[in-house]
Amino acid sequence: MSRLLLYTLQHFAVDGVCGAALAAYALRELYYEPILYYFGMYNLIAFGGQWLAGYLLDRRPTWTSYGLLLSLAALGLGTVETLDIFAKVICLGLGNCIFHVAAGSIVLRGYSTYKELGLFVSSGAIGLALGLNQLCGEYLFLSLYAVLTLVVFYNLQKEGGQAPCVCKTSTQDAAGVKGIAPLAGMACLFLLLGCVVLRGFGGGGGSEEYVMLFPCVFALGKALGGWCSDRIGFQHTIVLIFLLGFLALQGGGLWSAVLLALAFNMTMPLTLRLAHWCSPSHPGLMFGLAAGCLLPGAFFYDSLRMPPHAMLVIQFLCLFASFELFRRFSKERP
């Protein structure tokens, strides 16, 4: 648990650095169009590049610890005041991208349940919000990340540069981590990535009046999703998510939006863990593919939105079908 806390705080600090640095630029920029351009460019690099970075680290798992150092160096360059904004965005995006797949693959390999994964992914939303709203400065986040990264690097070097791989699961309904028949695995992964796309459109929330409310809801949802999956099982958790979403859609206003955002974000540790089980030898790639599926929601949120009722039902069906595929066609069962 102590190491998990280090990874979780790293996630908090990395997203905080990027949010604070981008916000500092936006406050100085006189025109809206360049802000949109550079924020979009950052998202493309930070999220769209994760599949490639993850694939490379999967081929050389012992490079994982050095990936964290490279991430630290890139983020440090991204906070240099004299650096051109174009170069700053590239550095910030690369630093964020490399960290997520490096630390994400460590958590996927090093833990076998949902709750640890839920905790790890939960902290980024809070760090990002604190940075974007200039509640904490970029150098504070960077200093925290530097200290944490050096501690993590030292620990990983003692283990050969990567976290030990877990060979079996401990959850009551897990269908094993030995993989799945190829065609069924592709179908399962397609359904899971579809759920991530839906979360990108439905899990964003939004409230200008309460700047930290929704980020905290996002974090709670991710942690709660992992905890519930371990306590009551994957299938019961997706039913709970569906019921929470159904209740949210019965009303309107702030609390309905809060409950809906909570429900959609509860799916994150479920989709990540099951995607990893579809290809246990490629944790970085699976993490990166899931991250890339958030881009449609970031770029086309206003133009491609579907009714939340439809998103909720499709999400439930995709999660249910993917788990049933995995349980039926997995190569090893508990």
Side-chain angles (χ1 to χ4, degrees):
M1 182 59 71
S2 60
R3 292 196 180 186
L4 178 65
L5 178 61
L6 292 176
Y7 306 140
T8 303
L9 289 174
Q10 278 186 299
H11 193 182
F12 167 83
V14 166
D15 283 1
V17 170
C18 297
L22 291 172
Y25 155 72
L27 289 175
R28 297 191 299 267
E29 177 59 60
L30 299 177
Y31 302 101
Y32 188 57
E33 290 78 9
I35 295 175
L36 286 179
Y37 174 79
Y38 287 116
F39 272 63
M41 177 180 167
Y42 165 79
N43 283 326
L44 279 175
I45 298 172
F47 293 93
Q50 284 190 35
W51 71 270
L52 179 57
Y55 173 76
L56 294 175
L57 287 181
D58 288 340
R59 291 179 62 87
R60 295 288 187 275
T62 54
W63 292 358
T64 301
S65 58
Y66 296 102
L68 293 175
L69 290 183
L70 181 59
S71 168
L72 175 60
L75 291 173
L77 284 174
T79 60
V80 174
E81 289 290 336
T82 56
L83 202 64
D84 176 77
I85 183 57
F86 184 84
K88 286 171 71 77
V89 167
I90 292 177
C91 290
L92 292 171
L94 286 176
N96 189 294
C97 169
I98 296 170
F99 163 77
H100 275 82
V101 294
S105 63
I106 289 172
V107 175
L108 285 171
R109 285 181 182 272
Y111 300 93
S112 59
T113 56
Y114 298 92
K115 65 178 182 292
E116 290 89 357
L117 189 56
L119 286 173
F120 168 69
V121 297
S122 68
S123 60
I126 297 177
L128 182 63
L130 290 172
L132 284 175
N133 290 287
Q134 294 286 277
L135 299 176
C136 293
E138 56 196 287
Y139 295 112
L140 176 62
F141 284 118
L142 184 63
S143 299
L144 175 61
Y145 182 55
V147 172
L148 293 168
T149 299
L150 292 177
V151 173
V152 169
F153 179 80
Y154 173 75
N155 289 330
L156 290 177
Q157 285 300 108
K158 293 193 299 183
E159 297 169 350
Q162 60 175 324
C165 185
V166 175
C167 59
K168 64 179 182 178
T169 66
S170 59
T171 50
Q172 61 180 354
D173 60 0
V177 294
K178 294 298 183 182
I180 184 174
L183 290 178
M186 291 180 62
C188 182
L189 184 61
F190 177 79
L191 292 169
L192 291 168
L193 295 180
C195 289
V196 179
V197 173
L198 290 174
R199 187 176 69 80
F201 283 96
S207 175
E208 295 181 358
E209 185 177 359
Y210 306 101
V211 294
M212 291 303 299
L213 173 60
F214 278 94
C216 290
V217 171
F218 303 157
L220 176 62
K222 294 165 186 174
L224 184 61
W227 183 83
C228 288
S229 296
D230 286 340
R231 297 290 294 182
I232 64 177
F234 187 102
Q235 291 168 301
H236 291 118
T237 300
I238 63 174
V239 171
L240 175 61
I241 291 170
F242 179 80
L243 291 176
L244 288 175
F246 176 79
L247 289 175
L249 295 174
Q250 302 312 301
L254 177 63
W255 290 108
S256 290
V258 165
L259 194 57
L260 190 63
L262 179 74
F264 272 101
N265 279 276
M266 285 177 67
T267 65
M268 188 170 184
L270 283 71
T271 52
L272 284 174
R273 178 59 73 194
L274 204 57
H276 174 227
W277 286 342
C278 286
S279 184
S281 61
H282 297 91
L285 177 61
M286 295 299 105
F287 197 100
L289 286 174
C293 286
L294 294 172
L295 286 176
F299 285 100
F300 306 110
Y301 182 79
D302 294 322
S303 57
L304 294 180
R305 292 189 67 185
M306 69 171 65
H309 307 74
M311 287 194 293
L312 187 65
V313 171
I314 295 172
Q315 175 185 259
F316 173 78
L317 293 175
C318 287
L319 286 170
F320 180 82
S322 61
F323 185 77
E324 287 302 311
L325 276 171
F326 187 84
R327 186 162 63 174
R328 181 170 181 179
F329 294 101
S330 62
K331 298 177 182 178
E332 180 175 307
R333 295 175 182 170

